[in-house]
């Protein structure tokens, strides 16, 4: 075995451990943020008693969920029922593999990174569909059907926006995409008006679609608490539910990472100074905060309103954006 | 005044048929069947007593004059071996109230339903059936409403013991 | 074997909503027959909160039933007390001193505001927005503080007595009420911006859950439901009780007949209630708070009477039938929620499930008030 | 009278693990969204801004019994509702706890009278109860105290000061 291969193996293991830990810790602490941030909006302290500032709250939740009995409802499809929570977490973790957190910290830098993220991102829906269907519960089945319709509807404008962006960047490599945007916020794709004057709108469409794709309020059809009890997760107990919970926050993280990379210049500093990991994290967490902010400010959309938004507003705008980008590229470059 | 035009119509149907005697009345004394009562002390403007077979007719008069159904309830007059069924109507414009009373025998507690005239009577009649066991003939779904599905008792009867 | 396409398309299934379901505000159960997400038939099954109030009214003396009134419609408990006390007073011929009537009006209207605030929060939770609930509770707590200082309870008030009220209000209460009104007035624009102007909220409620005035009449629906259908029926105006005749206030009604209309009615009612409270505080007369010579154990004359009040949910009526003994012979509680709920089956047919839940939320249901 | 069965002490002890598990459980009691009557409103008030159950990590009201640890029986249990309450309890995964909130859930409260036909006189006739919180309805402070008492039961010691200690 050559030393190169050993180095590669060590690197792999380090990244594997490091990123799994990072991803899961992030997901766990996003749940705390999800409880702390609204408590500030809502004139209350939020979790403060469990550890300093409630910092041990996710730990307590996690250990508790691990210690819960796992119930399988009568008539459930056993294999699918147990498989679904695993299936929903794995794509989330896998997506993180290609994400460049800074110039140096990239677990796997390869050419089709963006494609891979969307390929795996679409995978999570199957898990929810399977979980909802396998639960043998009417609420779960309804929620699962809704989620599929919703994800199909929002995948399209999202991909249209991303394709228009790929026109500009001419690559699927996330590392390269960020490098093209270096040198201050006026180089970022969100303000890349030279490529398409609709870029800010494209970013907005991306953000809305991301909310819908990750099943976040106001598009949280998957859990629709006041309508469908707990939606597709109604029958899941203990860590089965915990994994769905973790996956939700993992997906948010992936979505925010991709948004940061595609539109907000990745690890680039807005003023062209000291680029690095910290800028990436700041941008990502600001986006995460926005996601949580939206959730606690809006009621849930009606299911048909949600589809109308996608098919009648977002997709036409995304198409116009695509055509405009193509047209302008042809014209100016 | 929305009750004035009603009064003569009620009088026309109240004298037909034979309403059961009213509690508190002296035996043999004539009981006015259509009574104007002071709102301030009774809360009721017109107190009508009709017989069981005339109740649908009486309710139709009110329906045509756009009165609103407020409640239907029963009273168990154990001493007289009678049930009294009380229909309360009010008018949204004037706030007046008409009460239609029907007396039926406790041994054969049956009277026709009005749920086909007033949709809201459906639940009120079911509730009255729950509490008193009064059977509303022609009711589409006379099953327990407030009591458990398998309840076979009628708690507001005065001879009820748990 | 051929598949009958029509029968596949018309396949319905039964969805059991409740008795424990987040949208039903308690223990309501609705048996839904669904065609996909469309409701074919919605049969409410009630009685899960039946607490035998009418039986208890017959079993115990008039005064001993008073605490029960706080537990019929516990969100707007004072109205039940007002209705019951009013009915007994009417039958017994007790005249209530003016100050007591004013205090009754002030406290009831405060309770109405508290009830509508709770509804506003709960309605938004039905629609999936959680934060307004906490703002509403924040305001509601201020009212509860005020009411607690005079009634001694936070929720299930038992404050009215035959012939008056049990505690006099003091200057602190008056000052506190005034400052609360100022506070709520200043917060109304926030609710407006946060809820009324919220585009998702508007999409969820506008044109949803249409109820015609005729349906309201047939089913006896009152309160904000009938006022949202364009009929300005309010017991305080058409059948004035207590001292409501002395105050200047409007009855809001909207002709859109949808959930938005009922929402606007309640918001406007809060404003009107604040107007009434201010007028009552301004003209609060001095004097006793209890009628003289009300016996400890009431024995009413034979006969019956009806008394109704405008509760936060509609017309709450009490029929007392007396046979001359210490207990009521029959006590009928006409609850507004019962009648409002009974039209759900007719109105929800053909609706989508989330819309039907918006309609359900717009009724402002309190389940033990339906079941009594 | 039921026979007292003596439980033999376990052969292997996982004391540390048990402690950690119980500590986690005590600090993450997720109640079920399950309101029965008046007390449910006070339960909502406990979760709202002024009292804020979230401080102790127990504000995550789960609508599905499968994901909840704590059943707050908040109100009168009518005989019609009783089977549903038992079903809900059975649907909750172990370990689970029950908090009887209010007099109705404790004993039938004000609705208990000779000849009553409609209510179950106390939820402990149906399911085992861990903590009783009296009151009609109990104030939010009382409910929080009930939850802290449950935490005390779980951990074997009290972590928050009591009123007397102050």
């Amino acid at each position: 075995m050559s030393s190169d291969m050993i180095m590669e193996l060590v690197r792999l293991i380090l990244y594997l451990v490091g990123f799994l830990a990072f991803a899961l810790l992030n997901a766990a602490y996003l749940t705390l943020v999800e409880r702390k941030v609204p408590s500030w909006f809502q004139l209350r302290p939020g979790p403060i008693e469990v550890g300093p500032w409630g910092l041990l709250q996710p730990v307590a939740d996690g250990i508790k969920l691990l210690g819960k009995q796992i119930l399988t409802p009568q008539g459930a499809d056993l294999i699918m029922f147990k498989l679904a929570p695993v299936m929903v977490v794995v794509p989330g973790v896998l997506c993180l593999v290609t994400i460049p957190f800074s110039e140096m910290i990239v677990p796997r830098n390869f050419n089709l990174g963006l494609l891979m993220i969307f390929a795996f991102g679409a995978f999570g829906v199957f898990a929810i569909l399977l979980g909802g269907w396998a639960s043998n519960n009417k609420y779960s089945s309804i929620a699962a059907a809704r989620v599929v319709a919703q994800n199909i509807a929002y995948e399209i404008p999202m991909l249209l926006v991303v394709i228009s962006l790929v026109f500009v960047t001419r690559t699927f490599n996330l590392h390269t995409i960020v490098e093209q945007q270096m040198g201050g916020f006026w180089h970022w794709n969100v303000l890349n008006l030279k490529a398409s004057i609709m870029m800010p709108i494209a970013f907005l469409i991306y953000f809305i679609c991301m909310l819908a794709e990750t099943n976040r309020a106001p598009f949280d059809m998957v859990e629709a608490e006041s309508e469908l009890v707990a939606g597709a997760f109604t029958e899941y107990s203990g860590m089965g539910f915990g994994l769905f919970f973790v996956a939700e926050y993992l997906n948010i993280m992936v979505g925010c990472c991709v948004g940061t990379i595609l539109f907000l210049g990745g690890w680039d500093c807005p003023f062209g100074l000291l680029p690095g990991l910290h800028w990436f994290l700041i941008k990502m967490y600001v986006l995460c905060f926005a996601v949580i902010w939206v959730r606690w400010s809006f009621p849930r959309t009606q299911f048909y309103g949600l589809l109308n938004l996608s098919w009648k507003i977002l997709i036409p705008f995304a198409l116009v954006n695509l055509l405009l980008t193509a047209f302008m590229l042809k014209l100016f470059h | 005044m929305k009750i004035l035009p009603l009064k003569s119509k009620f009088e026309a149907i109240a004298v037909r048929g034979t309403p059961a005697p009213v509690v508190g009345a002296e035996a043999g004394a004539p009981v006015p069947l259509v009574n104007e009562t002071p709102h301030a002390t009774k809360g009721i403007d017109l107190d009508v007593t009709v017989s069981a077979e005339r109740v649908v007719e009486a309710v139709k008069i009110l329906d045509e004059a756009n009165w609103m159904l407020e409640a239907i309830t029963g009273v168990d007059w154990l001493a007289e071996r009678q049930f009294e069924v009380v229909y309360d109507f009010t008018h949204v414009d004037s706030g007046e109230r008409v009460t239609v009373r029907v007396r039926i025998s406790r041994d054969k507690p049956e009277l026709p339903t009005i749920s086909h005239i007033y949709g809201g009577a459906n639940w009120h009649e079911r509730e009255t059936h729950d509490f008193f066991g009064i059977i509303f003939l022609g009711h589409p779904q006379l099953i327990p409403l407030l009591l458990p599905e398998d309840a076979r008792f009628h708690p507001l009867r005065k001879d009820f013991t748990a | 074997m051929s598949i009958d396409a029509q029968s596949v398309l018309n396949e319905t299934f039964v969805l059991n909503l409740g008795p424990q379901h987040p949208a039903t505000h308690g223990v309501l159960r609705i048996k839904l027959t669904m065609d996909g997400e469309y409701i074919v038939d919605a049969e409410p099954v009630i009685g899960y909160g039946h607490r035998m109030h009418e039986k208890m009214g017959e079993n115990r003396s008039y005064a001993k039933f008073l605490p029960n009134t706080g537990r019929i419609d516990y969100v707007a408990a004072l109205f039940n007390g007002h209705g019951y006390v009013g009915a007994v007073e009417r039958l017994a011929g007790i005249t209530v001193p003016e100050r007591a009537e004013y205090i009754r009006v002030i406290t009831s209207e405060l309770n109405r505001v508290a009830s509508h605030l709770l509804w506003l929060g709960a309605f938004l939770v039905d629609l999936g927005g959680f934060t307004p609930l906490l703002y509403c509770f924040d305001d509601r707590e201020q009212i509860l503080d005020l009411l607690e200082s005079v009634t001694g309870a936070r929720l299930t008030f038992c404050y009215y007595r035959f012939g008056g009220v049990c505690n006099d209000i003091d200057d602190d209460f008056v000052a506190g009420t005034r400052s609360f009104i100022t506070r709520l007035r200043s917060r109304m624009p926030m609710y407006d911006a946060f809820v009324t102007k919220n585009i998702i909220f508007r999409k969820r409620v506008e044109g949803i859950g249409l109820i015609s005035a005729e349906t309201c009449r047939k089913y006896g629906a009152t309160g904000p439901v009938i006022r949202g259908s364009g009929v300005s029926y309010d017991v305080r105006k058409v059948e004035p009780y207590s001292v409501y005749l002395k105050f200047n206030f409007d009855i809001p009604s909207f002709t859109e007949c949808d959930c938005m209309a009922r929402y606007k009615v309640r918001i406007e009612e809060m404003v009107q209630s604040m107007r009434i409270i201010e007028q009552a505080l301004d003209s609060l007369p001095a004097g006793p708070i209890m009628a003289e010579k009300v016996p400890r154990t009431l024995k009413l004359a034979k006969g019956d009477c009806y008394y109704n009040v405008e509760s936060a949910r509609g017309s709450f009526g009490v029929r007392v039938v007396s046979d001359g003994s210490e207990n009521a012979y029959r006590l009928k509680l006409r609850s507004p929620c019962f009648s409002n709920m009974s039209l759900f089956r007719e109105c929800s047919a053909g609706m989508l499930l989330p819309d039907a839940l918006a309609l359900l939320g717009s009724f402002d249901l309190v389940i033990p008030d339906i079941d009594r | 009278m039921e026979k007292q069965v003596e439980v033999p002490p376990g052969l292997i002890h996982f004391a540390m693990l048990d402690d950690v598990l119980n500590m986690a459980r005590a600090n993450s009691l997720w109640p079920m969204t399950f309101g029965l009557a008046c007390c449910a409103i006070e339960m909502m008030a406990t979760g709202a801004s002024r009292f804020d159950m979230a401080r102790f990590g127990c504000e995550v009201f789960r609508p599905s019994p499968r994901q909840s640890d704590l059943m707050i029986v908040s109100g009168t249990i009518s005989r019609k509702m009783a089977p549903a309450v038992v079903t809900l309890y059975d649907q909750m995964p172990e370990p689970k706890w029950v908090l009887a909130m209010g007099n109705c859930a404790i004993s039938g409260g004000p609705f208990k009278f000779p000849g009553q036909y409609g209510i179950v006189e106390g939820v402990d006739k149906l399911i085992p109860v861990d903590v009783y919180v009296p009151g009609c309805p109990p104030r939010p402070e009382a409910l929080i105290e009930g939850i802290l008492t449950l935490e005390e039961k779980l951990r074997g010691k009290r972590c928050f000061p009591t009123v007397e200690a102050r």
Side-chain angles (χ1 to χ4, degrees), chain B residues 123-131 143-151 153 155-156, chain C residues 28 44-54 330 332-333 335 338 367-372, chain D residues 78-81 117-119:
Chain B
W123 276 24
H124 286 296
E125 286 178 354
R126 273 172 76 183
E127 187 199 302
T128 314
H129 172 72
D130 271 12
F131 285 167
I143 55 169
L145 180 72
L146 296 178
L147 300 179
E149 288 88 347
D150 54 350
F153 53 91
L156 288 193
Chain C
L28 177 67
V45 182
I46 62 171
Y48 290 95
H50 179 54
R51 303 204 278 188
M52 312 169 288
H53 284 293
E54 294 182 6
R330 172 86 175 96
K332 163 72 184 170
L333 306 163
S335 79
F338 185 87
I367 307 305
D369 187 34
I370 300 179
D371 299 341
R372 299 183 306 282
Chain D
S78 66
R79 289 195 190 160
K80 199 171 181 176
M81 188 66 197
Y117 61 88
I119 61 158

Side-chain angles (χ1 to χ4, degrees), chain C residues 1-30:
Chain C
M1 210 174 90
S2 72
I3 298 168
D4 183 2
Q6 203 59 35
S7 77
V8 173
L9 286 177
N10 286 341
E11 200 173 83
T12 57
F13 64 99
V14 175
L15 187 67
N16 189 20
L17 202 77
Q20 184 261 344
H21 186 278
T24 55
H25 298 244
V27 288
L28 177 67
R29 174 175 157 216
I30 303 175

